[in-house]
Amino acid sequence: MNHGQHVPLVPVILAGGEGTRLWPLARAQYPKQFLPLVSDKTMLQETVLRLRGIPGIAEPLVICNETHRFTAAAQLAEAGIASPFVMLEPCGRNTAPAIAAAALCLCGKTGGDPLMVVLAADSAFQDPEAFRKTVASAVEPALAGRLVTFGIVPSRPETGYGYIKAGKDSGAGWFALDSFREKPDAETAAAYLREGGYFWNSGMFLFRASVYLSELEKFAPDMLAAVRAAVEKMAGDSVSGTQDFHRLDAAEFSRCPADSIDYAVMEKTALGAVVPMDAGWSDVGSFDSLWEISPKDADGNAVRGNVLVHNSSGSLVFSEKRLVAAVGCRDLVVVETRDAVLVADKNASQDIKRVVAVLKERNRSEVDDPQVGFRPWGCYDSIEKGSRYRVKHITVKPGGKLSLQLHHHRSEHWIIVSGTARVRKGDEIMLMTENQSVFIPVGMLHSLENPGKIPLDVIEVQSGAYLEEDDITRVEDEYGRC
């Protein structure tokens, strides 16, 4: 009998992180969880959609940082989550505090003690049905008071993952948790597989909110106290009349010790349990792991976009825009984006983060300059950029309105491509339709609104000495931004 049929099972999706090993696809302001890496859906959307069909599953709680809030909300809406509960971390404090904040919030929101299935937003599964069945099978030990972690059945002696050693077999599909092991060298990883009883550490969990909070209070009381204070002072952002974003108090949360759930709780608790999962899991943490889970041609090449390969094998070739021709390539990664091209040995893809570190040291915009930006009113796509100009494609959703604003260093020229625009230019208000245009001089108050029923598409041409996103002074904004 399923004793948990009336207990909500709430997905808690951790959507932080930069994913620097997937540069230039992933950027600081547009990390891998918001990219369509394994399908036409983004990793976050895949995570949400994969959960459907699990008995008793509820709407997710998503945790991300301030920078990504509109991106997360837009992608969740596209995935069918109309009013997502998005919790914003003012600063990164690792997984243990984030999960505690979710547990406290869910207990307060539901007035009960829900089960939490904690997932990363950037994992991939080649067998989603096996994933769903395994999650459902972990409900019983979680209801019995266990802190369940999902151990991935290893397919090779991998040195890039941590491992979990299983203890006594319960006879009911789960094992007692013996210990966690750091990422091993090749010899140790091979020994783990020969011995058996070792699993890859997936970073996925299932437990009652109250059990996790109780164990956290036992092992890290200062952390729980700081998180509790941050949740008690949590504020909601009103966006178009809804409470879409829930901000943890910055002052309280910044005082919280930073630690992972593994170190803070799981390595110390006597309640740990391991449920094996064999569902083709990957953390997509590097280009070689992306190649491994991607569809390939007869020569082992994984390609996407405007790509031509000849006499090549074992390579990953991505094109965002231009034609990329790979000739005579063996085990290479070739990635083309609008502002950067990466060529790397596939077996050295873990070292790409060192390139990102150098770019950061040199203050290069390629580190985090996003081509696509999501906003509460819609989104924009950067088409072209030069030393004194930038061209954007702006899409304003029906009813969306950009803030009343001005710029100190740039002028803007708007060309209406489709839809209807209500434009304010100084004291003048005008209604504009496709093929009409308007020029906004430097320093002039202006706003753009879509009063129609279909999306408004605008080409914006910026011109000036400084074209960064922080050259904006908002005078009025219905989304509460400053």
Side-chain angles (χ1 to χ4, degrees):
M1 184 175 70
N2 181 6
H3 300 289
Q5 59 184 341
H6 299 303
V7 179
L9 178 58
V10 182
V12 173
I13 300 175
L14 307 178
E18 295 186 4
T20 54
R21 288 175 295 176
L22 290 177
W23 181 91
L25 290 179
R27 308 295 177 97
Q29 295 189 45
Y30 211 67
K32 65 174 178 174
Q33 58 266 31
F34 302 115
L35 296 175
L37 294 178
V38 296
S39 73
D40 59 350
K41 300 282 193 282
T42 70
M43 300 292 283
L44 173 61
Q45 290 171 332
E46 287 278 359
T47 301
V48 171
L49 296 172
R50 189 182 303 121
L51 292 161
R52 293 178 179 172
I54 297 176
I57 201 74
E59 294 286 84
L61 184 155
V62 177
I63 305 174
C64 67
N65 64 42
E66 174 87 9
T67 304
H68 305 139
R69 65 194 188 281
F70 296 124
T71 305
Q75 293 191 3
L76 290 167
E78 289 177 2
I81 311 298
S83 299
F85 191 100
V86 180
M87 180 182 291
L88 303 180
E89 290 182 293
C91 55
R93 285 295 180 265
N94 215 318
T95 55
I99 296 168
L104 289 166
C105 188
L106 288 173
C107 288
K109 182 182 177 188
T110 64
D113 184 15
L115 288 168
M116 301 167 57
V117 53
V118 180
L119 307 167
D122 54 4
S123 295
F125 293 85
Q126 294 177 304
D127 189 344
E129 183 58 29
F131 163 83
R132 287 187 283 269
K133 288 181 178 178
T134 306
V135 171
S137 74
V139 167
E140 289 298 334
L143 285 173
R146 290 284 182 169
L147 296 172
V148 175
T149 184
F150 294 96
I152 303 300
V153 177
S155 58
R156 60 186 181 276
E158 174 64 50
T159 61
Y161 300 143
Y163 282 71
I164 302 169
K165 179 174 174 53
K168 183 179 179 181
D169 188 344
S170 70
W174 58 272
F175 298 84
L177 173 60
D178 181 274
S179 58
F180 285 82
R181 305 293 172 90
E182 298 293 336
K183 296 177 182 178
D185 57 27
E187 183 179 348
T188 303
Y192 286 167
L193 264 65
R194 286 195 301 270
E195 181 180 340
Y198 285 88
F199 302 91
W200 291 340
N201 184 3
S202 69
M204 300 184 296
F205 305 90
L206 198 158
F207 41 65
R208 277 193 181 272
S210 64
V211 176
Y212 175 69
L213 293 173
S214 176
E215 293 296 275
L216 187 64
E217 186 166 32
K218 182 187 303 181
F219 301 118
D222 292 346
M223 178 185 292
L224 181 58
V227 175
R228 194 183 299 277
V231 171
E232 288 174 351
K233 297 180 181 179
M234 186 168 63
D237 272 3
S238 180
V239 178
S240 299
T242 63
Q243 295 290 320
D244 287 330
F245 303 117
H246 304 262
R247 298 173 184 270
L248 294 167
D249 184 78
E252 300 291 353
F253 199 70
S254 65
R255 286 193 277 269
C256 180
D259 210 349
S260 70
I261 181 176
D262 290 353
Y263 288 125
V265 174
M266 297 303 295
E267 291 190 354
K268 301 171 182 175
T269 184
L271 302 178
V274 183
V275 170
M277 178 179 285
D278 191 0
W281 170 87
S282 172
D283 70 344
V284 199
S286 60
F287 282 114
D288 55 331
S289 62
L290 178 57
W291 170 85
E292 185 174 330
I293 65 171
S294 297
K296 304 173 189 66
D297 64 17
D299 296 313
N301 299 302
V303 302
R304 179 178 295 183
N306 194 7
V307 171
L308 176 65
V309 293
H310 174 71
N311 191 27
S312 298
S313 63
S315 295
L316 176 74
V317 188
F318 270 34
S319 168
E320 187 175 272
K321 185 177 182 181
R322 293 166 290 184
L323 170 65
V324 174
V327 179
C329 294
R330 300 289 182 271
D331 298 324
L332 287 185
V333 172
V334 181
V335 178
E336 177 271 344
T337 67
R338 299 180 194 182
D339 61 347
V341 175
L342 169 72
V343 181
D345 186 317
K346 189 177 68 185
N347 297 315
S349 63
Q350 297 277 355
D351 294 333
I352 292 172
K353 58 185 177 182
R354 298 179 184 176
V355 175
V356 177
V358 172
L359 293 174
K360 287 182 178 179
E361 290 174 3
R362 298 178 181 178
N363 294 317
R364 294 290 298 257
S365 64
E366 292 90 348
V367 173
D368 57 11
D369 190 12
Q371 299 299 314
V372 178
F374 287 89
R375 297 294 184 265
W377 43 260
C379 64
Y380 69 82
D381 185 1
S382 293
I383 299 173
E384 189 62 63
K385 181 182 179 182
S387 60
R388 292 183 59 88
Y389 74 91
R390 174 178 282 184
V391 182
K392 289 182 177 181
H393 173 202
I394 296 174
T395 300
V396 186
K397 62 188 179 183
K401 181 179 180 181
L402 282 68
S403 60
L404 179 62
Q405 58 186 251
L406 60 86
H407 309 292
H408 297 287
H409 301 287
R410 73 173 185 252
S411 61
E412 295 177 342
H413 187 180
W414 293 340
I415 303 160
I416 312 303
V417 177
S418 65
T420 301
R422 180 179 291 123
V423 176
R424 175 172 172 179
K425 177 182 175 182
D427 294 329
E428 183 182 6
I429 297 178
M430 59 192 84
L431 204 62
M432 305 180 67
T433 57
E434 61 185 69
N435 296 322
Q436 293 184 309
S437 63
V438 61
F439 176 71
I440 310 293
V442 174
M444 176 165 283
L445 279 173
H446 61 280
S447 68
L448 176 66
E449 181 181 358
N450 180 1
K453 302 295 185 182
I454 63 172
L456 165 64
D457 289 301
V458 178
I459 297 298
E460 176 182 270
V461 181
Q462 303 175 357
S463 178
Y466 184 79
L467 302 172
E468 301 305 317
E469 292 298 321
D470 57 357
D471 177 24
I472 181 170
T473 299
R474 291 189 176 95
V475 178
E476 296 175 5
D477 183 56
E478 65 179 55
Y479 307 113
R481 298 168 297 169
C482 57

